[in-house]
Amino acid sequence: MPVRQLQYMAYASLMAALTAVGAYVHIPFGPIPIVLQNLFVLLAGLLLGSRWGAISIGIYLLVGAIGIPVFAGAKGGIAHFIGPTGGYLVGFLLASYIVGFISEHAQRRLSIDILAVTLGSVAVYLLGVPWLKVVAGLSWGKALSVGVLPFLVGDAIKACAAVMLARMLRPVVTRQLEPATT
């Protein structure tokens, strides 16, 4: 296996682990807790691109699905995918791919990174809110009021933090992942 492939695997594993740690930093808030997972989902896409960012979040979701307690509240199991947070969890996978895709095709410009994390955050809501509505039997208004509104400010802060961290960490990560020239 090429060294570069191993390096990407290591970074993907690290981002999956950080996403799990982000779930432990949670504040119970109705059916959807406030967590730091979103920060690491967005950061995975910004640092690793669409493919490896999505792989890292896929690893996180797989580990949680098999019962390892990596979801909010130190919980795990496949049941979380059919509960009120299931759409948000799947949204994490889509978000990391979207953020990575936009970021890797835009020469790492700040404005594009901001657009990428914004669209990634929207993707989480686009999958999470309808799922919450159906599973919890809520109206659209109620689903939006419990599944979006309380999280907008915090998610904006996490998105800004992801962009700032990515801008600081990209030179190191890029240097590590670039093929060596001899």
Side-chain angles (χ1 to χ4, degrees):
M1 183 173 295
V3 172
R4 189 165 188 241
Q5 185 91 359
L6 289 171
Q7 290 170 318
Y8 268 108
M9 289 170 67
Y11 275 114
S13 298
L14 174 63
M15 292 310 301
L18 287 171
T19 305
V21 169
Y24 280 85
V25 180
H26 79 285
I27 301 168
F29 192 81
I32 311 298
I34 297 172
V35 293
L36 279 183
Q37 291 160 298
N38 313 52
L39 167 66
F40 298 110
V41 166
L42 300 173
L43 190 59
L46 288 170
L47 291 177
L48 302 179
S50 58
R51 179 174 179 232
W52 284 101
I55 287 171
S56 72
I57 301 310
I59 292 167
Y60 164 74
L61 295 174
L62 178 63
V63 166
I66 63 172
I68 307 297
V70 296
F71 296 146
K75 297 178 182 166
I78 196 76
H80 291 279
F81 289 93
I82 56 173
T85 60
Y88 295 93
L89 291 172
V90 175
F92 287 166
L93 185 66
L94 179 61
S96 63
Y97 182 84
I98 288 171
V99 171
F101 183 84
I102 293 170
S103 179
E104 69 195 7
H105 288 92
Q107 292 110 24
R108 312 286 195 224
R109 293 192 326 249
L110 177 62
S111 59
I112 300 301
D113 284 348
I114 293 169
L115 174 66
V117 297
T118 301
L119 293 177
S121 296
V122 168
V124 173
Y125 290 127
L126 285 176
L127 292 179
V129 173
W131 188 259
L132 173 64
K133 177 195 178 306
V134 170
V135 169
L138 303 174
S139 67
W140 280 110
K142 185 68 173 172
L144 290 169
S145 70
V146 301
V148 176
L149 295 179
F151 305 101
L152 288 176
V153 172
D155 284 350
I157 292 168
K158 289 180 269 187
C160 289
V163 169
M164 291 187 303
L165 286 167
R167 298 191 75 71
M168 290 186 312
L169 295 172
R170 266 194 192 127
V172 174
V173 172
T174 302
R175 193 170 44 251
Q176 295 260 326
L177 295 174
E178 285 180 348
T181 57
T182 54

